[in-house]
Amino acid sequence: MAAIPPPETHPIDTSKPHPARVYDWFLGGKDNYPVDEELGLQIVSLEPQTKYCAQHNRWFMQRATRRLAGEEGIRQFLDIGTGIPTEPNLHRIAQSAAPEARVVYVDNDPIVLAHAEALLRGTPEGVTEFLQVDAREPDKILEQAEGVLDFTQPIALSLIALLHFISDDDGAYDVVERLVSALAPGSHLVLSQMAGDFDPERTRQAVEMYKAGGVTLVPRERADVERFFEGLELLDPGVVWLPDWHAELGVDEIRNGSPVPLYAGVARKP
Ligand SMILES: C[S@@+](CC[C@H](N)C(=O)[O-])C[C@H]1O[C@@H](n2cnc3c(N)ncnc32)[C@H](O)[C@@H]1O
């Protein structure tokens, strides 16, 4: 396996909001700036449940990782669009089921890199690594991840709340296809994505708010989310509203019955 090159460093731009920091604000984190809070407040005034949706998204990551590291026996994880560390992070869940699990995190935001030490504190038997690479450069991700992961063995590729920041024109479907093509049979794709067909008018307003902040937001309808899984075998119950994906695997989750306009699904590569 090749050695992982040192991450490229880019200065943190605090003049405009960034998805990782706005998401951190939704989750009650401290790693965000006034511009991020400003956009977060606008979104919450439009949809008061947004903070709850972000938390639900974290719970989905935990449930999917528990299932993959447990029942499906996956020992390698490639998590793209990781976000600012929020406990419990993916490696904590995977390595509590399988201490030898190897995890590669990828994000393009330099602030995530600044906090990467929290992501790199895994079990002595396992491995955790962080790559600062843009998801729109899948070949670069694969080349660098090969330093840690064995692509002849199954890998869980997670793209959780990432693809709604990548437009079709920017190659969202090609990126997923390229990444999946590099995975061995028995690998899994885990994905969540903002829904475009839940409340189209409020969704349109949210897209405008993000756009004013310089962030591309791309909600997708269920059929378009299912397209990401083409050629794969969707695990039950398929692409569903995110809180409904194997709710029984949840630990300490709080449900208030509010709608969560996110789709989620997990599929296996045959
Ligand atoms: C909403 S957060 C989701 C974080 C985490 N996956 C979760 O579900 O809790 C989206 C993350 O995707 C990252 N991101 C957005 N566009 C990206 C891109 N083109 N390449 C890599 N990461 C990207 C952001 O920096 C942010 O950390």
Coordinates of all heavy atoms in Angstrom, one line a residue, residues 58-70 74-75 77 86-99 101 103 105 121-123 128 249 251:
R58 N -27.0 12.4 11.8 CA -26.0 11.8 12.6 C -26.4 10.4 13.1 O -25.7 9.4 13.1 CB -25.6 12.6 13.9 CG -24.9 13.9 13.6 CD -23.6 13.8 12.9 NE -22.6 13.2 13.6 CZ -21.4 12.9 13.1 NH1 -21.1 13.2 11.8 NH2 -20.4 12.3 13.8
W59 N -27.7 10.3 13.5 CA -28.2 9.0 14.0 C -28.2 8.0 12.9 O -28.0 6.8 13.1 CB -29.6 9.2 14.6 CG -29.6 9.9 16.0 CD1 -28.6 9.8 16.9 CD2 -30.6 10.7 16.5 NE1 -29.0 10.6 18.0 CE2 -30.2 11.1 17.8 CE3 -31.8 11.2 16.0 CZ2 -31.0 12.0 18.6 CZ3 -32.6 12.0 16.9 CH2 -32.2 12.4 18.1
F60 N -28.6 8.5 11.7 CA -28.6 7.5 10.6 C -27.2 7.0 10.3 O -27.0 5.8 10.1 CB -29.1 8.2 9.3 CG -28.8 7.4 8.0 CD1 -29.4 6.2 7.8 CD2 -27.9 7.9 7.1 CE1 -29.1 5.4 6.7 CE2 -27.6 7.1 6.0 CZ -28.2 5.9 5.8
M61 N -26.2 7.9 10.4 CA -24.8 7.4 10.2 C -24.5 6.3 11.2 O -23.9 5.3 10.9 CB -23.8 8.6 10.3 CG -22.3 8.3 10.3 SD -21.6 7.7 11.8 CE -21.5 9.1 12.8
Q62 N -24.9 6.6 12.5 CA -24.6 5.6 13.5 C -25.3 4.2 13.3 O -24.7 3.2 13.4 CB -25.0 6.2 14.9 CG -24.2 7.4 15.3 CD -24.7 8.1 16.5 OE1 -25.4 7.5 17.3 NE2 -24.5 9.4 16.6
R63 N -26.6 4.3 12.9 CA -27.3 3.1 12.6 C -26.7 2.3 11.5 O -26.5 1.1 11.5 CB -28.8 3.4 12.3 CG -29.6 4.0 13.5 CD -31.1 3.9 13.3 NE -31.6 4.5 12.1 CZ -31.9 5.7 11.9 NH1 -31.7 6.6 12.9 NH2 -32.4 6.2 10.8
A64 N -26.4 3.0 10.4 CA -25.9 2.3 9.2 C -24.5 1.7 9.5 O -24.2 0.6 9.1 CB -25.8 3.3 8.0
T65 N -23.7 2.4 10.3 CA -22.3 1.9 10.6 C -22.5 0.7 11.5 O -21.7 -0.3 11.3 CB -21.5 3.0 11.2 OG1 -21.5 4.2 10.4 CG2 -20.1 2.6 11.4
R66 N -23.4 0.8 12.5 CA -23.6 -0.4 13.4 C -24.0 -1.6 12.5 O -23.5 -2.7 12.8 CB -24.8 -0.1 14.3 CG -24.3 0.2 15.7 CD -25.5 0.6 16.6 NE -25.1 1.8 17.3 CZ -25.8 2.9 17.3 NH1 -27.0 3.0 16.8 NH2 -25.3 4.0 17.9
R67 N -24.9 -1.4 11.6 CA -25.4 -2.6 10.8 C -24.2 -3.1 9.9 O -24.0 -4.3 9.8 CB -26.5 -2.1 9.9 CG -26.9 -3.0 8.7 CD -27.8 -4.1 9.1 NE -28.0 -5.0 8.0 CZ -29.1 -5.0 7.3 NH1 -30.2 -4.2 7.6 NH2 -29.3 -5.9 6.3
L68 N -23.4 -2.2 9.3 CA -22.4 -2.7 8.4 C -21.2 -3.3 9.2 O -20.7 -4.4 8.8 CB -21.9 -1.5 7.6 CG -22.9 -1.0 6.6 CD1 -22.4 0.2 5.9 CD2 -23.3 -2.0 5.6
A69 N -20.8 -2.7 10.3 CA -19.7 -3.3 11.1 C -20.2 -4.6 11.8 O -19.4 -5.5 12.1 CB -19.2 -2.3 12.1
G70 N -21.5 -4.7 12.1 CA -22.1 -5.8 12.8 C -22.5 -6.9 11.8 O -21.7 -7.7 11.4
I74 N -18.4 -5.7 7.7 CA -17.5 -4.8 7.0 C -16.4 -4.3 8.0 O -16.7 -3.9 9.2 CB -18.2 -3.5 6.4 CG1 -19.3 -4.0 5.5 CG2 -17.3 -2.6 5.8 CD1 -18.8 -4.6 4.2
R75 N -15.1 -4.2 7.5 CA -14.0 -3.8 8.4 C -13.3 -2.6 7.8 O -12.3 -2.2 8.4 CB -13.0 -5.0 8.5 CG -13.6 -6.2 9.3 CD -13.9 -5.8 10.7 NE -14.6 -6.9 11.5 CZ -15.9 -6.9 11.7 NH1 -16.7 -5.9 11.2 NH2 -16.5 -7.9 12.4
F77 N -13.8 1.4 6.0 CA -14.8 2.4 5.8 C -14.2 3.6 5.1 O -13.1 4.1 5.5 CB -15.4 2.9 7.2 CG -16.2 1.8 7.9 CD1 -15.5 0.8 8.6 CD2 -17.6 1.7 7.8 CE1 -16.2 -0.3 9.2 CE2 -18.3 0.7 8.4 CZ -17.6 -0.3 9.0
T86 N -18.0 15.2 15.5 CA -19.1 15.3 16.5 C -19.3 13.9 17.1 O -19.5 12.9 16.4 CB -20.4 15.6 15.8 OG1 -20.2 16.8 15.0 CG2 -21.6 15.8 16.7
E87 N -19.0 13.8 18.4 CA -19.1 12.4 19.0 C -20.5 11.8 19.0 O -21.4 12.6 19.2 CB -18.5 12.5 20.4 CG -17.0 12.7 20.5 CD -16.2 11.4 20.0 OE1 -16.8 10.3 20.0 OE2 -15.1 11.6 19.7
P88 N -20.7 10.6 18.8 CA -19.6 9.6 18.4 C -19.4 9.7 16.9 O -20.3 9.7 16.1 CB -20.2 8.3 18.8 CG -21.7 8.4 18.7 CD -22.0 9.9 19.0
N89 N -18.1 9.8 16.5 CA -17.8 9.7 15.1 C -17.8 8.3 14.5 O -17.9 7.4 15.3 CB -16.4 10.4 14.9 CG -16.5 11.9 15.2 OD1 -17.2 12.6 14.5 ND2 -15.8 12.3 16.2
L90 N -17.8 8.2 13.2 CA -18.0 6.9 12.6 C -17.0 5.9 13.0 O -17.3 4.7 13.3 CB -17.9 7.1 11.0 CG -18.2 6.0 10.2 CD1 -18.8 6.5 8.8 CD2 -17.1 5.1 9.9
H91 N -15.7 6.3 13.2 CA -14.7 5.3 13.6 C -15.0 4.7 15.0 O -14.7 3.5 15.3 CB -13.3 5.8 13.5 CG -12.9 6.8 14.5 ND1 -13.2 8.1 14.4 CD2 -12.2 6.7 15.7 CE1 -12.7 8.8 15.5 NE2 -12.1 7.9 16.3
R92 N -15.6 5.6 15.8 CA -15.9 5.1 17.2 C -17.0 4.0 17.1 O -16.9 3.0 17.8 CB -16.5 6.3 18.0 CG -16.7 6.0 19.4 CD -15.5 6.2 20.3 NE -15.1 7.6 20.4 CZ -13.9 8.0 20.7 NH1 -12.9 7.2 20.9 NH2 -13.6 9.3 20.8
I93 N -18.0 4.2 16.3 CA -19.0 3.2 16.2 C -18.5 1.9 15.5 O -18.7 0.8 16.0 CB -20.2 3.7 15.2 CG1 -20.7 5.1 15.7 CG2 -21.3 2.7 15.1 CD1 -21.6 5.1 16.8
A94 N -17.7 2.1 14.4 CA -17.2 0.9 13.7 C -16.2 0.2 14.6 O -16.3 -1.1 14.7 CB -16.5 1.4 12.4
Q95 N -15.3 0.9 15.3 CA -14.3 0.2 16.1 C -14.8 -0.3 17.4 O -14.2 -1.2 18.0 CB -13.1 1.1 16.3 CG -12.3 1.4 14.9 CD -11.2 2.4 15.1 OE1 -11.0 3.1 16.1 NE2 -10.3 2.4 14.0
S96 N -16.0 0.1 17.8 CA -16.5 -0.5 19.0 C -17.1 -1.9 18.7 O -17.1 -2.8 19.5 CB -17.5 0.4 19.8 OG -18.5 0.8 19.0
A97 N -17.6 -2.0 17.4 CA -18.0 -3.3 16.9 C -16.9 -4.2 16.5 O -16.8 -5.4 16.7 CB -19.0 -3.1 15.8
A98 N -15.8 -3.6 15.9 CA -14.7 -4.3 15.4 C -13.4 -3.4 15.6 O -13.2 -2.5 14.8 CB -14.9 -4.6 13.9
P99 N -12.7 -3.6 16.6 CA -11.6 -2.8 17.0 C -10.5 -2.6 15.8 O -9.8 -1.6 15.7 CB -10.9 -3.4 18.2 CG -12.0 -4.2 18.8 CD -12.9 -4.7 17.7
A101 N -11.1 -2.2 12.7 CA -11.7 -1.5 11.6 C -10.8 -0.4 11.1 O -10.2 0.3 11.9 CB -13.1 -1.0 11.9
V103 N -10.5 3.1 8.9 CA -11.4 4.2 8.5 C -10.6 5.3 7.8 O -9.6 5.8 8.4 CB -12.2 4.8 9.7 CG1 -13.1 5.9 9.3 CG2 -12.9 3.6 10.5
Y105 N -11.3 9.1 6.4 CA -12.2 10.2 6.4 C -11.7 11.2 5.3 O -10.5 11.4 5.1 CB -12.2 11.0 7.7 CG -12.9 10.3 8.9 CD1 -12.1 10.0 10.0 CD2 -14.2 10.1 8.9 CE1 -12.7 9.4 11.1 CE2 -14.8 9.5 10.0 CZ -14.1 9.1 11.1 OH -14.7 8.5 12.2
R121 N -8.0 9.6 16.5 CA -7.8 8.8 17.8 C -8.7 7.6 17.8 O -9.8 7.5 18.3 CB -8.2 9.7 19.0 CG -7.0 10.2 19.7 CD -7.3 11.0 20.9 NE -7.3 12.5 20.6 CZ -8.3 13.3 20.9 NH1 -9.4 12.9 21.5 NH2 -8.1 14.6 20.6
G122 N -8.2 6.5 17.1 CA -8.9 5.3 17.1 C -8.3 4.2 18.0 O -7.5 4.5 18.8
T123 N -8.7 3.0 17.8 CA -8.2 1.9 18.6 C -6.8 1.6 18.1 O -6.4 1.9 16.9 CB -9.0 0.6 18.3 OG1 -9.1 0.4 16.9 CG2 -10.4 0.8 18.9
T128 N -7.2 5.0 11.6 CA -8.1 6.1 11.1 C -7.2 7.2 10.5 O -6.1 7.5 11.0 CB -8.9 6.8 12.2 OG1 -8.1 7.4 13.2 CG2 -9.9 5.9 12.9
L249 N -32.2 0.0 15.1 CA -30.7 0.0 15.4 C -30.3 1.2 16.2 O -29.2 1.4 16.6 CB -29.9 -0.1 14.1 CG -30.0 -1.4 13.3 CD1 -29.3 -1.2 12.0 CD2 -29.4 -2.5 14.1
V251 N -29.8 4.1 19.1 CA -29.5 4.1 20.5 C -29.7 5.5 21.0 O -29.1 6.4 20.4 CB -28.0 3.6 20.8 CG1 -27.6 3.7 22.2 CG2 -27.8 2.2 20.3

